[in-house]
């Protein structure tokens, strides 16, 4: 029996968020040295770590949340400390019970306060600050001084966190470029996922004006899941160039279809060959897939697996006689599909179509046959997209040599985003100006 080699686990790189978090913690230590012991560096460092978010806008949101929570907790903490100072409670079990009830009542007040002002996201930190004051510093001689230092600690941490997270090298933005990447073995990892690094960097660059989209053989349904966390602004090239799909409006902007007469002839050919097929048709921005009865196990498995998607609409019937098909697809055992493919290429109309025939990676011993309009190519659709975006140059990424600007080796899914960053926002080097 052949040995199966275990896949080596590839450790993710240390990201800038980790490095910036460590820098922020270090800066809090340095600032604390100059405060001569008046503050608690621990609170500043907590604020730094809380503010160190993936996106700058989230950092500002977390900073506002932390400031509000600190102020609310500090105000109520000061009130309770003043109450304790005025009552001059003596130590004892009865006093401890009364004090516990007072603290619990104020927790209710604080939480209700955040609800009333519609800032429930600040409730946790309000309670943390309040409890840190009334539990750890009840006996402090000057409650006002501690509360002020507690607020100052947090403000220092927030300023440090926001400042460090906002720091970056000066970069130029090349907004006249269109970046187009493939998906499988290019942008996505082997497990069909996008790495955290690629997700964060792509979203950040798209937010700052980068023109990015993908080009794939997949239908919109099969690319929605791996790209669910990418905030695409441009339409995507799907079905190997047969259609241009707007993921935000769920609409097809452009498509190449096989004529009604030719679609009927192809469907008849498959029926005569007793070869079950999928006929993909776009009707009012809905992808309708016609399929037939068959005993072919893999064919039925695909139907059961894919029909659960809300972006696919499977219809159990032969192709209607008045539909223009975007593309036909069938999957059969390789030996049988070879015969189907050869006979199809002998048909007089086959020369005017784009025909793909290749083995399946997911089902060993099986092959695919896909048939498109002869104009349905990624290159043709890319020309349309370039005019749609109005950019001067296209930078493409894929796995086929001499076809793309950059050839990506399988297993290096982060390389696409790294190259996009290099092209889109190169570091400005002042010492090279004028050379």
């Amino acid at each position: 029996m052949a040995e199966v080699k275990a896949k080596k686990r590839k450790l993710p790189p240390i990201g800038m968020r980790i490095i910036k978090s460590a820098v922020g913690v270090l800066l809090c230590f340095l600032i604390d040295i100059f405060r001569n012991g008046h503050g608690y560096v621990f609170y500043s460092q907590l604020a730094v770590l809380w503010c160190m978010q993936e996106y700058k806008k989230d950092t500002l949101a977390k900073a506002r949340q932390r400031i509000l929570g600190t102020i609310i907790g500090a105000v109520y903490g000061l009130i309770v400390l003043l109450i304790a100072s005025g009552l001059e409670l003596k130590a004892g079990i009865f006093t401890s019970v009364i004090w516990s009830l007072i603290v619990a009542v104020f927790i209710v007040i604080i939480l209700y306060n955040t609800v009333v002002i519609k800032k429930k996201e600040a409730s946790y930190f309000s309670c943390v600050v309040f409890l840190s004051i009334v539990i750890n510093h009840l006996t402090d001689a000057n409650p006002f001084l501690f509360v002020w230092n507690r607020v100052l600690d947090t403000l220092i941490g927030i300023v440090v966190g926001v400042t460090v997270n906002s720091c970056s090298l000066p970069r130029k933005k090349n907004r006249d470029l269109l970046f187009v990447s493939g998906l499988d073995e290019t942008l996505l990892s082997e497990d069909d996922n996008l790495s955290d690094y690629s997700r964060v960097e792509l979203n950040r660059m798209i937010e700052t004006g980068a023109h990015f989209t993908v080009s794939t053989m997949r239908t919109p349904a099969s690319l929605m899941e791996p790209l669910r966390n990418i905030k695409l602004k441009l339409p995507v090239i799907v079905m190997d160039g047969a259609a241009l799909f707007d993921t935000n409006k769920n609409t097809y902007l452009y498509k190449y279809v096989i004529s009604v007469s030719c679609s009927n002839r192809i469907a008849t050919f498959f029926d005569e060959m007793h070869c079950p097929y999928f006929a993909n048709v776009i009707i009012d921005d809905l992808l309708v897939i016609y399929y037939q009865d068959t005993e072919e196990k893999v064919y039925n498995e695909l139907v059961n697996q894919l029909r659960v998607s809300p972006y696919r609409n499977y219809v159990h019937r032969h192709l209607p006689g008045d539909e223009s098909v975007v593309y036909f697809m069938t999957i059969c055992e390789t030996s049988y599909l070879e015969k189907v493919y050869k006979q199809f290429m002998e048909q007089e109309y086959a020369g005017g179509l784009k025909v793909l025939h290749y083995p399946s990676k997911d089902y060993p011993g099986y092959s695919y046959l896909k048939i498109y309009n002869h104009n349905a190519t990624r290159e043709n659709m890319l020309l349309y997209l370039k005019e749609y975006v109005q950019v001067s140059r296209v930078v493409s990424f894929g796995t086929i040599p001499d076809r793309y600007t950059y050839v990506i080796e399988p297993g290096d899914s982060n390389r696409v985003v790294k190259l996009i960053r290099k092209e889109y926002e190169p570091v400005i080097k002042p010492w090279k100006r004028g050379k």
Side-chain angles (χ1 to χ4, degrees), residues 166-182:
S166 300
C167 289
S168 62
L169 294 174
R171 294 177 180 271
K172 174 186 175 183
K173 307 293 185 185
N174 291 322
R175 295 187 175 91
D176 60 340
L177 300 178
L178 171 60
F179 299 98
V180 182
S181 173

Side-chain angles (χ1 to χ4, degrees), residues 233-286:
K233 295 183 179 180
L234 297 181
V236 296
I237 299 173
V238 294
M239 306 181 204
D240 204 33
L244 192 64
F245 184 73
D246 189 328
T247 58
N248 296 305
K249 298 180 180 179
N250 289 332
T251 183
Y252 290 89
L253 301 179
Y254 196 79
K255 59 182 180 291
Y256 292 107
V257 298
I258 303 171
S259 67
V260 173
S261 60
C262 190
S263 295
N264 289 331
R265 297 175 77 177
I266 296 172
T268 300
F269 169 82
F270 280 126
D271 290 338
E272 291 174 350
M273 295 294 296
H274 303 289
C275 181
Y277 62 88
F278 298 101
N280 295 263
V281 179
I282 297 174
I283 303 175
D284 294 333
D285 287 325
L286 295 177

